[in-house]
Amino acid sequence: MKKNKILVTGGLGFIGSHTVVELQQKGFDVVIIDDLSNTRIEVLDGITAITGVRPEFVQMDLKDKVHVASFFEQHSIDGVIHFAASKAVGESVEQPLKYYENNISTLVYLLKNMTKNKVPHLIFSSSCTVYGQADELPITENAPVKKAESPYGNTKQIGEEIIQDVTKVFDLNAIALRYFNPIGAHESVEIGELPLGVPQNLIPYVTQTAAGIREELSVFGHDYPTPDGTAVRDYIHVVDLAKAHIIALQRLLEGKNKSKMEYFNLGTGTGSSVLDVINAFKKANQMDVNYKIVARREGDITSAYADTKLANEELGWKANLGLEEALSSAWQWQLKQK
Ligand code: UD1
C-alpha cells in the first residue's frame, strides 16, 4: 500500500521535530520544509537517530513564492502539518510586519498551492493565546476569541479565520490545534527545545538557570489572584502534543471530521503556577533553581488551562505525561547542550 506523504513545515522546530518522529514511527512518509531561521540542521540527525529514517528535507523560506510553487508541482502531498511561523510575543510587538509576513503571507501562499494542487488536509498550529484571559476556567473551545494582545496572537486568530474561509469554498478539510504551553523533550534526548539567545519562555529559563548559564530566574509577578500569587498555565509534554497531531491527521485522512474546520484544545487540563513549576523541577531533578520575584511581565494573563473534554472524546487523545516527567526530560536535554 502506498504510504501517505505528509509535508511538515517548520519540521525542524521544537514541536515540528517531535511530530516528525511520531509520524515516521506510524509509517508516514515525511517531507520537511524549514528555513532554519530558529533551529539547527542537526535536528535532522536527532530525528534520524530516533526513527532510523532520515526524512526528506528541503531548506526553503515559505515566503519564496516561486520555490514553494515548484515544490508543490514536484511533490505529491496527501496532507500538510503547518508549524512554520515566528513565535516570540515580545518581538512581534516590536516587529509586527515581520509577523504578518512570516505567519500570514506564507499561510496564504501555502493555501494557494494546496488548493491548486488538490492537497485536501491541513493541520494548523494554533495557540490558547486566541482566548486571551478567558472569563471561565478551564477553557473550552467555545470560549470567545478575544482581541489579541500581540501581533503574534493576532496571526494565530487571523490564520484560523483564513483557513476557515478557504475550507468553505475549496475541497480542503482542516483542524486547528490550540496548544497550551508545550514543554519537555523526547525521552531519547536526541531532540528538544533550542531557544536561540536569552530564553523568553519559562522552562528553558529554568533549565539554563539550574545549569548556571543564567544567574537567576525572574518570577514575573507575585500578586496574581491565584493560590500562590504567581501566574497559572497548563504545561503539556511536547511528545503528548506531537501524538495529537498524528491522531488529528488520521481523522482527516479517514474522513471522520464532523465539519470542514475543527478546533481542539491541547493541554493537560491541570493548571500549574510558576512556583509549582520551580518546585516540580526541584523534585524531579534534585536541583535547585535560584529565583527572585519581580514585577509582572506586560501582556501576561493570570491563568489559563484547558478543558480537554472535546479532544478526549472526539480525538480519543489525552495527555499521558506529567509535569515532573516533562521537567526531567527538559533537564536531561539541557545537560546535553554545549
Ligand atoms: C506565550 C504566549 C503563547 C506562545 C508562547 C510561546 C501569550 C498569552 N502566550 O506563553 O501564545 O505560544 O508564549 O512563545 O501570549 N515566566 C516567568 N519568568 C520567566 C519566563 C516566564 O515568571 O523568565 C512566567 C510567565 O510570566 C508566565 C509563565 O511563566 O506566567 C509562562 O511563560 P511562557 O513560558 O513565556 O509562556 P506564556 O507567556 O504562557
Side-chain angles (χ1 to χ4, degrees):
M1 206 177 80
K2 184 185 158 283
K3 286 184 181 178
N4 282 305
K5 183 153 197 153
I6 307 304
L7 165 63
V8 183
T9 73
L12 295 184
F14 177 40
I15 309 171
S17 58
H18 288 81
T19 302
V20 169
V21 164
E22 298 299 323
L23 280 169
Q24 295 200 145
Q25 288 178 339
K26 288 277 181 213
F28 288 97
D29 251 351
V30 175
V31 52
I32 295 172
I33 292 182
D34 200 302
D35 67 356
L36 301 179
S37 61
N38 195 25
T39 187
R40 296 195 205 118
I41 187 67
E42 288 77 19
V43 176
L44 207 48
D45 300 330
I47 294 169
T48 311
I50 299 168
T51 62
V53 180
R54 196 168 184 85
E56 187 181 343
F57 169 61
V58 181
Q59 184 175 347
M60 192 196 293
D61 184 337
L62 289 176
K63 295 195 290 294
D64 182 344
K65 278 184 179 175
V66 174
H67 283 105
V68 175
S70 60
F71 171 90
F72 273 91
E73 274 153 26
Q74 284 158 18
H75 290 78
S76 172
I77 303 290
D78 298 296
V80 177
I81 306 185
H82 180 46
F83 292 103
S86 298
K87 61 171 185 180
V89 177
E91 184 190 56
S92 80
V93 177
E94 305 289 321
Q95 299 180 54
L97 290 174
K98 172 176 169 181
Y99 277 68
Y100 290 117
E101 191 172 34
N102 282 357
N103 298 6
I104 300 298
S105 303
T106 54
L107 176 65
V108 173
Y109 302 153
L110 185 69
L111 287 164
K112 271 189 157 177
N113 283 289
M114 286 179 69
T115 51
K116 184 172 173 213
N117 292 281
K118 305 202 169 7
V119 181
H121 308 300
L122 173 67
I123 307 293
F124 178 62
S125 250
S126 191
S127 167
C128 69
T129 197
V130 301
Y131 302 116
Q133 178 58 69
D135 298 327
E136 283 174 41
L137 294 168
I139 303 174
T140 71
E141 288 78 357
N142 292 327
V145 167
K146 292 207 174 152
K147 184 167 168 43
E149 295 268 355
S150 68
Y152 161 76
N154 209 17
T155 64
K156 292 298 173 189
Q157 295 187 1
I158 298 170
E160 285 188 354
E161 286 174 5
I162 291 173
I163 296 166
Q164 171 139 47
D165 289 342
V166 174
T167 61
K168 284 181 190 157
V169 289
F170 285 98
D171 185 14
L172 177 76
N173 289 271
I175 294 180
L177 297 175
R178 292 171 171 170
Y179 315 144
F180 282 66
N181 289 54
I183 63 165
H186 193 269
E187 61 175 0
S188 64
V189 208
E190 294 286 352
I191 53 173
E193 195 169 1
L194 281 172
L196 300 181
V198 181
Q200 306 297 312
N201 296 114
L202 179 61
I203 304 322
Y205 211 105
V206 166
T207 59
Q208 291 196 7
T209 306
I213 300 166
R214 312 277 157 212
E215 207 173 307
E216 204 169 38
L217 167 74
S218 294
V219 173
F220 298 137
H222 199 240
D223 56 352
Y224 284 104
T226 60
D228 65 21
T230 64
V232 168
R233 299 286 184 276
D234 184 339
Y235 296 93
I236 173 158
H237 198 300
V238 65
V239 171
D240 276 330
L241 195 68
K243 290 186 167 143
H245 290 74
I246 286 69
I247 296 172
L249 177 69
Q250 273 165 338
R251 179 178 174 89
L252 294 183
L253 290 168
E254 290 163 15
K256 290 186 174 157
N257 48 313
K258 292 194 172 148
S259 57
K260 292 196 79 185
M261 171 101 182
E262 294 182 312
Y263 305 82
F264 293 102
N265 286 343
L266 296 181
T268 65
T270 302
S272 304
S273 72
V274 179
L275 295 182
D276 288 338
V277 169
I278 294 171
N279 289 330
F281 183 85
K282 283 183 188 169
K283 198 163 159 225
N285 302 306
Q286 309 298 317
M287 287 287 302
D288 253 328
V289 183
N290 296 327
Y291 71 87
K292 63 168 184 245
I293 309 279
V294 302
R296 291 183 183 194
R297 181 172 68 179
E298 208 186 324
D300 272 350
I301 55 167
T302 302
S303 198
Y305 50 95
D307 186 320
T308 60
K309 194 162 170 261
L310 194 68
N312 296 166
E313 290 180 358
E314 281 295 322
L315 297 179
W317 170 89
K318 78 174 186 27
N320 285 316
L321 301 164
L323 182 60
E324 282 182 35
E325 281 164 299
L327 293 171
S328 154
S329 64
W331 177 237
Q332 293 309 313
W333 171 250
Q334 178 67 54
L335 289 176
K336 247 189 99 176
Q337 307 311 304
K338 286 155 222 135

